[in-house]
Amino acid sequence: MRWREISAVIGFALIFLNVGSVVPAAPTQTSSSEDSPAAREAVDRVARLFSSKSSIATVKMQITNEDGQRNLSMKIWSLGDKVLILITNPPEEAGIAILKSGNDIKYYLPKSKRTVKLPASMAMTSWMGSDFTIDDLVKESFLTRDYSISSSFDGNRGGVAVYEYTMTPRPDAAVVWGKIVLQIRQADSVPTWQGFYDEDGKLVRELTFSEYKKTGDRLIPTRLVMRPADKTDAQTTIDYEDIAFDVPVSEGIFSLPASK
């Protein structure tokens, strides 16, 4: 598995399984002013939608671009600030394990029986022809810290009543986006669409959410599709086949085989 593919797998696990707890509440007001409490609460809730004290998930990832189509299946465990990812398919990559503990990220290659630490320089590396990097996926957890947030729309988009929030970087924030726009359904506060723009206000990529399912006491989208704006034939799809929150997970599972 190449570095950029490893970055993709780690990034998805970090953004969706390792932040905090969910607070299911709808915005109470819509305002054009920056950093309104309602806007910040709504964005923070979406950023923490897939997080909990612990979780176990089975995920499929399909990457489509000019090179063809690539499929990965994986099992993901999380507990506090720890995440373990085990690749289960395709067969030639089954057994590859990726471990995050705090800020430390390592992966294990079973064919060579090697454990390698991910260098910080890989955080900004793009992979598989997409726009995803570890940096922007991990930073997703800190939207309310790094961005000023304003309520920018209250009405129908595609026949669905939504709230829309626009996030612009704070002067001292180390981020790559000129702005991020997030839409959530008014009916149940789940995300429907997210757009990432460059410094000139041009859309670079968009993330759509669908296939909403009830898991315990929360409603989550189980399909996420990222599409780069300049490549009509490219997209990455994440499907959660199964996910359980706040379930027993042993501390002992978060380890990698010793290097040979």
Side-chain angles (χ1 to χ4, degrees):
M1 178 176 272
R2 292 172 291 179
W3 274 111
R4 59 186 183 179
E5 294 161 9
I6 293 164
S7 299
V9 176
I10 297 171
F12 282 116
L14 298 185
I15 185 174
F16 296 129
L17 292 178
N18 196 38
V19 195
S21 60
V22 173
V23 183
T28 57
Q29 66 182 41
T30 300
S31 170
S32 59
S33 61
E34 289 190 350
D35 289 332
S36 74
R40 295 185 64 77
E41 179 187 355
V43 171
D44 186 56
R45 182 169 57 251
V46 171
R48 296 182 289 116
L49 188 60
F50 278 76
S51 53
S52 62
K53 293 179 180 178
S54 63
S55 62
I56 302 175
T58 303
V59 177
K60 281 191 175 180
M61 179 191 301
Q62 183 180 88
I63 303 167
T64 304
N65 55 32
E66 64 274 11
D67 296 324
Q69 191 175 93
R70 178 175 180 77
N71 296 283
L72 288 173
S73 296
M74 64 198 80
K75 187 122 180 226
I76 307 173
W77 296 263
S78 76
L79 180 66
D81 67 351
K82 298 182 177 68
V83 177
L84 176 67
I85 308 155
L86 177 65
I87 307 300
T88 58
N89 202 53
E92 63 269 20
E93 291 168 352
I96 291 174
I98 302 165
L99 176 66
K100 174 190 176 291
S101 181
N103 295 321
D104 191 39
I105 300 174
K106 298 178 180 179
Y107 77 96
Y108 174 72
L109 296 175
K111 290 182 180 179
S112 60
K113 296 184 179 180
R114 293 181 60 217
T115 299
V116 181
K117 184 175 181 178
L118 182 74
S121 61
M122 297 306 300
M124 295 302 295
T125 302
S126 63
W127 55 272
M128 303 298 286
S130 79
D131 296 313
F132 279 111
T133 67
I134 281 234
D135 183 75
D136 53 42
L137 288 169
V138 174
K139 286 295 182 66
E140 193 80 6
S141 303
F142 303 109
L143 290 178
T144 56
R145 183 194 71 184
D146 293 334
Y147 291 85
S148 296
I149 304 169
S150 62
S151 300
S152 50
F153 182 79
D154 177 349
N156 289 322
R157 297 279 198 207
V160 178
V162 300
Y163 295 109
E164 180 181 275
Y165 301 98
T166 297
M167 290 156 271
T168 53
R170 298 185 183 280
D172 57 346
V175 297
V176 298
W177 302 113
K179 71 174 180 179
I180 298 174
V181 178
L182 173 68
Q183 294 175 9
I184 68 172
R185 291 197 311 212
Q186 293 188 15
D188 46 25
S189 300
V190 294
T192 60
W193 181 86
Q194 193 167 9
F196 302 82
Y197 297 78
D198 63 18
E199 292 181 351
D200 296 323
K202 181 180 178 181
L203 180 67
V204 176
R205 61 186 186 179
E206 59 180 354
L207 179 63
T208 57
F209 305 83
S210 62
E211 302 296 328
Y212 301 93
K213 296 180 182 178
K214 194 75 178 291
T215 301
D217 62 351
R218 67 183 78 181
L219 182 67
I220 62 171
T222 60
R223 170 165 289 187
L224 301 93
V225 182
M226 181 72 83
R227 297 183 179 92
D230 61 346
K231 298 177 182 178
T232 57
D233 59 346
Q235 68 177 38
T236 299
T237 301
I238 300 295
D239 284 303
Y240 282 87
E241 296 187 311
D242 183 65
I243 184 167
F245 299 101
D246 297 314
V247 291
V249 177
S250 171
E251 284 271 3
I253 199 171
F254 298 96
S255 64
L256 296 175
S259 299
K260 191 173 180 179

